[in-house]
Amino acid sequence: MSEQEMIERYIYDVVKRVPQDCREEIRMELQSLIDDMCEQENSSVEEVLQKLGEPAKFARRYRDEGSYLIGPDYYDDYVWIVKIALFGIGISALVSAVVNGITNSGDVINFLVEFFGEFFETLINGSFSVIGTLTIIFAIMEKKKAKLDIKPGKKWSVKDLSKNVATVNSWTPFLLPAVPDKRAVISRGDSVFSIIFTIVFIVLLIFAPQVFGAFHYEGGKLISSTCIFNLDEWDRIVPLFVFSLFVGMVNYIVRLVIGYHCKTVMYSTIITNTVQIAIAFILLNYFPFFNVDFANQVKSMMEITTFSNGDILFYWGSKRFDNFMLLFIVLISLLDIGVSLYKTLRYNNKVDKIVEK
Amino acid sequence: MEKDLLESLLSELRRGTLILCVLSQLDQSRYGYALVQSMEEKGVSIDPNTLYPLLRRLEKQGLLSSEWDTSEAKPRKYYKRTEYGEQIYEKLVEQWKLMSVGINELLGGSKDE
């Protein structure tokens, strides 16, 4: 490699890592810097470049500091939630692998092939999509926070130098977040369980919806199976359904990170439940969400002609059944909102008032 | 291990004062490498890979202005303090003097207590 080429390579390696708009200038500056150093220090190009150090490190100093995808404030929570998510995916991969193995196998070898095939497929696909989504959620939180951080600070001026440093910063002890009332604390265990449960549910709905169904065995062999969901329309149902669960999961993550009932959690809960009711309404009214034939298929599996009217399957497929499901979802949602409203207003209201003073 | 720690503590100590040193030399136009040399002559060494990015940052903050001289064979970017940079520099010097008095007191003054 000639000396000129070595210089070119070095400059290229630095310049490609700095923002587009200052590349040309930095290239010119580096070129004359290296020339000067060689001339005046009587050094070889190799020695000079050695002294300037690794291009990546050099370039890093040119970039603005403090630009994180996920900064130190959220990093621990992020890592923690990713671990929980991976755990959840592991469970769902296992469940769908077992179900897939049982429903598709004839002998042991076939079972193992189906089992491991499904296991790794779900594990890999699930991990990528869930970690990707979590990263996006946290990156957005980081960006929003960066904006919030910048907002209250006023522009620094020379005059501030002679003043007490503390006055430059607009933080005051009144901004301290309250120590939450014990009764307003949201159990981490509950949130974690909900997140894992939601992930397992989402992964299964996407990769193995047939898990939710009835299976008919005779002498250890699967004779027939039927799914409670309307798999004919599944491609159109699943995005909405998963979106609804996903909104729920974001809500649980907010709860986990914040850790107690406060206005943020309250708004998040209200929005989440409203979205979920709306989606449930659409799913139950505009699609046959459930498999209309499920009850009949179960009947033929069980070799009976009718269900008693105490049995939920007696009402399967009727408008009454869908309305009952919707009512059930609305009640659960209202209860969730009610609890959050009560705990926020009852235990956290006085805290907000101190801040206002 | 111990040497690394000392190195990193020293560079941390130096880092805070670099801006003051750089600003002090830019009452007249200088280009990057000339600045490295003039600081070195006075016993304050600075690596070009620290100085060059720093100069750009100070320019972005409005403390320095720059101009390219392309009349020579080698094109060079000359930096100089702006009026705003001048004000900041004076305040920094004032603070530095106060601080060094205080620190000297601390380092040599323990017997007074």
Side-chain angles (χ1 to χ4, degrees):
Chain A
M1 191 173 14
S2 74
E3 293 203 322
Q4 192 50 43
E5 199 191 337
M6 209 188 272
I7 295 178
E8 274 169 24
R9 285 189 185 193
Y10 186 87
I11 293 178
Y12 174 76
D13 209 10
V14 174
V15 166
K16 73 175 184 190
R17 297 163 203 266
V18 299
Q20 192 96 41
D21 53 339
C22 47
R23 279 185 190 168
E24 185 53 26
E25 241 190 15
I26 290 176
R27 192 188 61 73
M28 284 164 69
E29 259 189 313
L30 284 184
Q31 181 71 54
S32 46
L33 169 69
I34 294 168
D35 288 350
D36 281 341
M37 284 174 81
C38 290
E39 240 169 67
Q40 312 219 9
E41 294 176 19
N42 240 334
S43 318
S44 70
V45 169
E46 198 191 326
E47 285 165 334
V48 166
L49 297 185
Q50 192 75 53
K51 194 176 166 192
L52 288 177
E54 222 177 294
K57 284 188 186 159
F58 198 163
R60 206 175 302 145
R61 300 191 184 176
Y62 270 114
R63 291 196 300 263
D64 284 334
E65 287 154 33
S67 55
Y68 293 104
L69 182 64
I70 296 164
D73 287 353
Y74 288 125
Y75 184 74
D76 288 343
D77 284 324
Y78 172 73
V79 171
W80 208 64
I81 290 175
V82 165
K83 278 186 198 158
I84 295 171
L86 288 178
F87 181 70
I89 291 161
I91 294 179
S92 16
L94 204 64
V95 173
S96 67
V98 168
V99 171
N100 201 47
I102 293 172
T103 51
N104 291 321
S105 65
D107 53 66
V108 177
I109 292 178
N110 207 342
F111 173 83
L112 289 178
V113 169
E114 289 290 341
F115 179 86
F116 284 109
E118 179 72 17
F119 181 73
F120 286 112
E121 194 192 321
T122 312
L123 195 67
I124 291 164
N125 285 339
S127 306
F128 278 120
S129 33
V130 170
I131 292 175
T133 335
L134 285 175
T135 308
I136 292 171
I137 297 175
F138 273 87
I140 292 171
M141 282 164 71
E142 180 73 38
K143 247 209 148 98
K144 285 264 175 268
K145 188 201 60 171
K147 269 189 204 151
L148 286 177
D149 282 350
I150 291 164
K151 230 189 266 168
K154 59 172 179 168
K155 212 174 166 326
W156 189 87
S157 72
V158 187
K159 286 178 207 150
D160 292 324
L161 257 181
S162 49
K163 284 189 212 156
N164 189 341
V165 186
T167 59
V168 178
N169 209 324
S170 58
W171 182 87
T172 81
F174 291 106
L175 292 176
L176 280 172
V179 176
D181 189 304
K182 266 189 203 142
R183 288 162 294 189
V185 170
I186 301 167
S187 135
R188 267 175 101 86
D190 284 359
S191 305
V192 171
F193 177 78
S194 305
I195 292 171
I196 294 179
F197 180 78
T198 310
I199 291 170
V200 171
F201 201 35
I202 288 178
V203 174
L204 290 179
L205 284 176
I206 294 175
F207 296 107
Q210 67 278 9
V211 172
F212 305 96
F215 302 90
H216 185 208
Y217 287 94
E218 246 172 54
K221 281 215 161 174
L222 185 73
I223 305 292
S224 63
S225 70
T226 175
C227 181
I228 62 167
F229 299 122
N230 178 10
L231 292 185
D232 295 338
E233 294 272 7
W234 200 235
D235 288 349
R236 290 167 62 207
I237 292 173
V238 93
L240 266 178
F241 196 13
V242 166
F243 177 71
S244 166
L245 290 167
F246 175 77
V247 172
M249 192 176 73
V250 172
N251 185 33
Y252 291 126
I253 292 177
V254 169
R255 286 178 175 218
L256 181 67
V257 172
I258 294 179
Y260 62 95
H261 285 283
C262 63
K263 285 194 173 147
T264 312
V265 171
M266 188 177 85
Y267 294 137
S268 165
T269 304
I270 293 173
I271 292 169
T272 302
N273 281 295
T274 314
V275 169
Q276 288 181 331
I277 291 175
I279 292 178
F281 182 78
I282 295 171
L283 285 177
L284 288 168
N285 271 289
Y286 296 100
F287 300 97
F289 174 67
F290 291 106
N291 175 7
V292 185
D293 292 329
F294 181 72
N296 289 330
Q297 283 159 347
V298 172
K299 267 185 230 164
S300 70
M301 278 181 188
M302 293 168 74
E303 288 162 4
I304 53 173
T305 50
T306 181
F307 292 106
S308 74
N309 62 1
D311 195 318
I312 192 172
L313 285 178
F314 180 79
Y315 304 99
W316 191 270
S318 66
K319 192 75 204 151
R320 237 166 113 194
F321 180 77
D322 286 349
N323 285 339
F324 172 78
M325 288 301 289
L326 192 58
L327 184 70
F328 184 69
I329 291 166
V330 170
L331 284 179
I332 297 272
S333 299
L334 287 179
L335 186 70
D336 196 26
I337 293 177
V339 168
S340 181
L341 267 174
Y342 176 77
K343 292 207 165 176
T344 304
L345 299 178
R346 175 90 169 74
Y347 301 122
N348 244 323
N349 218 15
K350 56 177 188 284
V351 171
D352 293 341
K353 276 178 191 153
I354 293 173
V355 177
E356 281 158 20
K357 267 180 196 171
Chain B
M1 206 48 197
E2 212 165 280
K3 205 181 145 220
D4 284 353
L5 179 62
L6 181 64
E7 274 301 311
S8 82
L9 289 175
L10 276 176
S11 83
E12 218 168 294
L13 190 60
R14 219 176 287 137
R15 199 182 307 147
T17 58
L18 273 183
I19 293 175
L20 183 59
C21 299
V22 167
L23 285 178
S24 74
Q25 299 302 298
L26 291 176
D27 49 339
Q28 47 176 303
S29 284
R30 286 178 210 262
Y31 62 94
Y33 189 64
L35 190 54
V36 172
Q37 286 178 312
S38 80
M39 285 172 69
E40 201 132 87
E41 270 169 33
K42 287 163 183 132
V44 180
S45 66
I46 181 167
D47 280 331
N49 62 11
T50 306
L51 178 68
Y52 276 67
L54 179 63
L55 287 172
R56 283 193 80 85
R57 210 173 75 215
L58 294 177
E59 186 187 5
K60 214 171 158 188
Q61 291 168 336
L63 302 176
L64 299 179
S65 61
S66 71
E67 217 176 327
W68 277 95
D69 178 7
T70 46
S71 59
E72 306 275 322
K74 277 182 233 159
R76 279 178 177 140
K77 197 180 181 191
Y78 281 81
Y79 290 92
K80 193 178 189 306
R81 284 202 300 253
T82 59
E83 207 172 303
Y84 180 54
E86 197 75 38
Q87 292 173 359
I88 294 276
Y89 173 65
E90 279 164 23
K91 295 283 179 187
L92 286 176
V93 169
E94 203 178 292
Q95 282 291 315
W96 170 256
K97 286 181 177 157
L98 280 172
M99 252 172 77
S100 47
V101 169
I103 291 175
N104 282 334
E105 191 82 5
L106 285 175
L107 299 182
S110 53
K111 56 180 180 287
D112 297 345
E113 284 175 3

